[in-house]
Every structure is written in C-alpha cells, then in structure tokens.
Amino acid sequence: MSSLFPTYQRWELSAKSAKGCTLVDTNGKEYLDFVGGIAVCNLGHCHPNVVDALVKQAETLWHVSNLFQIEGQEKAASVLAEQSSGDYVFFCNSGTEANEAAIKLARKHTGKNHIISLANSFHGRTLGSMAATGQSKIHEGFGTMLPSFTYAKLNDIQSVQEQISSETAAIMIEVVQGEGGVRSIDQTFATQLKELCEEHELLLIVDEVQTGIGRTGKRFGYEHFHLSPDIITVAKGLGNGFPVGAMIGKEHLKAAFQPGSHGSTFGGNPLAMAVVNAVLETVFDESFLAQVEEKGKKFQGYLQEALQQSAAVKEIRSLGLITGIECHEPVAAFITKARELGLLVLPAGPNVIRILPPLVVTEEELQQAANILAQVVGHTTATVH
Ligand code: PMP
C-alpha cells in the first residue's frame, strides 16, 4: 500500500538509473528515454558538466535564494536576459511558479485583471496557472476559477480580438501547445497577435516551459515566429532535471516588482543556479542549436518513412525535437507497447503520442525510436536506415 496521494497514474516501471538517453529499470531493462526531454531535455541524463557543477556547488554552499548576493544567480540572469527579448529575471522552482509570477507581474504593471489565453493550453496546476489553462478537465472539481481568464481559439485571431476589452492586461500563449497535442501557432496568427498587442497596449506572455532552452532548435520557440514577448516563462529544460524556473520580463516591467512584491525561498538558490549556468553554457551555442534543428528534421523524415503505411496515423507534427504523432484512435495502448519494446514516450491528449528526446540524442537513437514506433503504430516491421 502506497502512502502517496494517488495523483499520478504511474507506469509499471521502477526507474533505477540513467545516462544520456538511456534509462535503466530495477530489473536491468534499458529504455530509450524519449520522455526525458520534458525535464532533462538538454544534455541528457547525468551529463558530466551538470553533475560536476552540482557536486562542486553542493560541497560549497546550499542556502536560500533571497538574502544574499548570489554570483551564480546574477550570471544566469544576465545570460537569460542577453539571449532573450527580456531584460530582467525572477527565479522560481517550476513552470507553474514562473507562470504565477508572469500573471502577477502583468496584473501589477497594467493594473488590469483580464488575461486571454488559448483553448487547450496548459500553464500549470496552481490556482492562477490552472485558471490560465484552457482545459476544463484540469478545472473540474476545484470550485470557482480566477474569473479573469478567457480562452481564445488557437490560430483564430478573430476569436482573440472579440475577447479584448479595456480590462485586458495580456495575451498568454504557448508557441507549441505541448500538453495540448503538439499544436503550433502559425506565422499569420503570430504576426496578427503582435499587431493586436501593439494596437491595444497588451502584454504578450509566452510560456516556453516546454519549448524553451533549445527544444525547438532555437533558444526560445518564439524566435521561429519573430515574436518579441514582454514576458517569457521557462522551467523544465532550464534545470536539466533539477527543479528550477524563471520568469523573464522586459525593461518597462521592472518597476512593477519591488522588494516585497513577490518571492520564493528557494527560487534561484545556489544549487539550482550552478546547474542552470552549466546548461545554458552548452545549449545557447549556435552549433548545438543547429544540430537540434537538423536532428528534428531527420527524425520527422524517419517517422514519415516508418509510419507512411500506417492507417492509424493521422498527422505527424514537429518543431525541432518536440514531436507529436496524432492518431485516429486513442494512443494509450501504443504507449504501453512502445515501453515494452524499450521506448518511453508520452501521450498529449487521448490521440497524440508526444516525443521529447534529450537534445543530445544520436541519429541512431532517433532511427531506433522510429522503428519501434513503426512496430507499435504502423502494425508493420518497416525499418528506417
Ligand atoms: N507550462 C507548460 C507549457 C507546461 O508544459 C508545463 C508542464 N507540463 C507547465 C507550464 C507546468 O510546469 P511545472 O510542472 O514545472 O510546474
């Protein structure tokens, strides 16, 4: 009998150790970990640079984040500010918290409450970020949501426009809806959103928790769409598996947050910052990012080839190394079968298989995964070479 709240439907897999893209269970079975990318996406499991940085820091100083000058925090903030459209950074411990900080900053700066987010979006599980989430199944049973969110349709600018009022503070989007089925915004929508924000003086908040820090082959996913968000949130890949998040905001928002406005005991603590600096040094490198983009394209090709015969597959969508295979039927059984064959993948809604390999994945590993997926979804044994 477990003493844990049954909040998760866990797999019958007891993880023991992991290295690179491979995870090993307590029976010694090895899996290609193509869900690892959701949290340890950048450098794979137990990357020596990250381990070294963490161990060195663990031997030197662990403390709270908010009392002292912390060199690592200043350094990580300056890198994030330099490499993004933002100028100032607030560190926290998760994606949800980064979105809470974004919502609070947008409200405080504008003095307005209303935020338009998108149907089918996912922004987190705390009361604010849950209200921002455009999925009623996430809200169910938890009583009244923050009333100040409305949800527009993805890639439908008229639907956004109709919801704007004098009380609107911001528009909040993911450039690729991860939990929502690996669905991307399109360039027309992005351009029109930008124009709407300018016209109505609305803040643009981009949740890059799943797409940021190299996942799509760019530092941040919004770069693909030539956006310049006022607020960006990141987490997951920022810590390569270590719990950390960040909210990055433009210069004009700085004054809204003063000492006492917002805070976190551990957000930006020395251990987290040692990891973040090691991650950013490697990922924010042009040749590393170019490889991600290249591998993403190759993987898309392998999947097209491996799954072309499959009647189950409706569409394969990807941006860099975030990939969704939409099927005509529920994918739960495919995901279990893939695991039996040694490949870990996730669902994104009932009909989409979501694939997020670590960014250091090799071409051979991508081919191997495509071949396993062909066996699972394709009902064939086609082999990709
Ligand atoms: N935003 C997005 C886009 C996410 O995908 C997630 C997690 N799936 C979150 C926010 C919440 O992040 P966390 O679980 O770190 O709180």
Side-chain angles (χ1 to χ4, degrees):
M1 265 291 280
S2 172
S3 303
L4 292 166
F5 269 112
T7 40
Y8 308 111
Q9 194 163 17
R10 293 177 198 269
W11 296 336
E12 281 177 32
L13 186 169
S14 194
K16 186 172 178 223
S17 66
K19 186 90 191 151
C21 298
T22 304
L23 183 136
V24 185
D25 74 10
T26 44
N27 299 319
K29 179 170 172 175
E30 293 192 356
Y31 302 84
L32 261 186
D33 184 1
F34 277 31
V35 309
I38 203 161
V40 291
C41 63
N42 305 307
L43 308 175
H45 293 282
C46 301
H47 189 282
N49 293 4
V50 180
V51 173
D52 274 3
L54 187 59
V55 168
K56 275 203 190 96
Q57 188 59 49
E59 288 169 346
T60 313
L61 176 72
W62 317 25
H63 215 305
V64 297
S65 63
N66 51 6
L67 292 177
F68 320 104
Q69 310 286 332
I70 296 173
E71 224 177 276
Q73 208 179 88
E74 292 290 347
K75 185 173 170 204
S78 73
V79 174
L80 286 170
E82 206 173 284
Q83 304 283 338
S84 73
S85 63
D87 302 292
Y88 292 95
V89 181
F90 172 80
F91 285 109
C92 51
N93 309 284
S94 68
T96 297
E97 278 180 62
N99 286 332
E100 288 293 335
I103 294 163
K104 285 179 72 174
L105 182 62
R107 283 175 160 226
K108 191 125 189 303
H109 172 77
T110 60
K112 297 175 181 180
N113 291 328
H114 178 222
I115 296 178
I116 300 169
S117 67
L118 296 180
N120 224 20
S121 59
F122 186 88
H123 298 293
R125 302 266 188 182
T126 54
L127 285 167
S129 63
M130 174 166 77
T133 295
Q135 299 187 41
S136 55
K137 71 171 198 287
I138 305 281
H139 301 168
E140 263 162 33
F142 291 105
T144 317
M145 289 296 114
L146 269 186
S148 52
F149 284 91
T150 58
Y151 315 101
K153 289 189 199 135
L154 178 71
N155 292 332
D156 180 344
I157 202 66
Q158 201 183 334
S159 157
V160 178
Q161 213 158 6
E162 281 165 6
Q163 296 182 14
I164 297 173
S165 77
S166 58
E167 256 311 293
T168 308
I171 299 176
M172 181 166 183
I173 60 163
E174 296 154 273
V175 290
V176 179
Q177 294 186 335
E179 304 296 322
V182 190
R183 288 173 213 283
S184 177
I185 57 167
D186 61 39
Q187 185 58 57
T188 312
F189 185 65
T191 308
Q192 289 169 334
L193 265 188
K194 200 171 161 180
E195 286 164 8
L196 269 191
C197 286
E198 279 163 19
E199 187 187 338
H200 297 275
E201 292 186 18
L202 308 177
L203 299 176
L204 178 63
I205 306 173
V206 178
D207 176 342
E208 292 269 0
V209 168
Q210 201 152 145
T211 48
I213 322 293
R215 170 64 31 199
T216 67
K218 303 255 186 233
R219 293 163 300 184
F220 302 93
Y222 66 77
E223 292 171 47
H224 290 278
F225 303 96
H226 316 291
L227 291 170
S228 174
D230 298 286
I231 303 178
I232 305 151
T233 56
V234 282
K236 297 195 196 289
L238 181 65
N240 216 61
F242 195 92
V244 61
M247 188 273 294
I248 312 165
K250 278 193 171 168
E251 167 83 39
H252 68 114
L253 304 172
K254 185 188 181 193
F257 271 5
Q258 294 296 327
S261 300
H262 193 53
S264 158
T265 301
F266 287 128
N269 71 77
L271 286 173
M273 293 300 101
V275 169
V276 167
N277 283 311
V279 168
L280 294 181
E281 257 172 42
T282 308
V283 177
F284 283 178
D285 173 272
E286 272 178 31
S287 63
F288 184 89
L289 290 167
Q291 275 183 33
V292 173
E293 199 152 16
E294 190 59 24
K295 284 189 249 185
K297 283 190 189 132
K298 288 213 164 123
F299 189 42
Q300 172 84 14
Y302 299 152
L303 289 174
Q304 298 286 4
E305 190 187 330
L307 304 179
Q308 63 187 344
Q309 306 286 357
S310 169
V313 174
K314 189 172 167 198
E315 189 178 39
I316 304 169
R317 299 185 282 266
S318 67
L319 191 63
L321 281 172
I322 178 168
T323 301
I325 302 174
E326 180 163 1
C327 294
H328 294 289
E329 55 198 280
V331 296
F334 295 152
I335 285 170
T336 306
K337 185 83 205 300
R339 195 160 63 244
E340 284 165 13
L341 294 174
L343 173 68
L344 304 180
V345 287
L346 283 170
N351 288 8
V352 179
I353 301 173
R354 183 172 30 152
I355 309 166
L356 297 120
L359 305 182
V360 293
V361 68
T362 63
E363 283 179 27
E364 292 71 36
E365 287 166 330
L366 291 171
Q367 281 171 345
Q368 213 180 320
N371 288 331
I372 293 176
L373 287 164
Q375 288 179 55
V376 170
V377 183
H379 311 296
T380 91
T381 50
T383 304
V384 177
H385 298 286

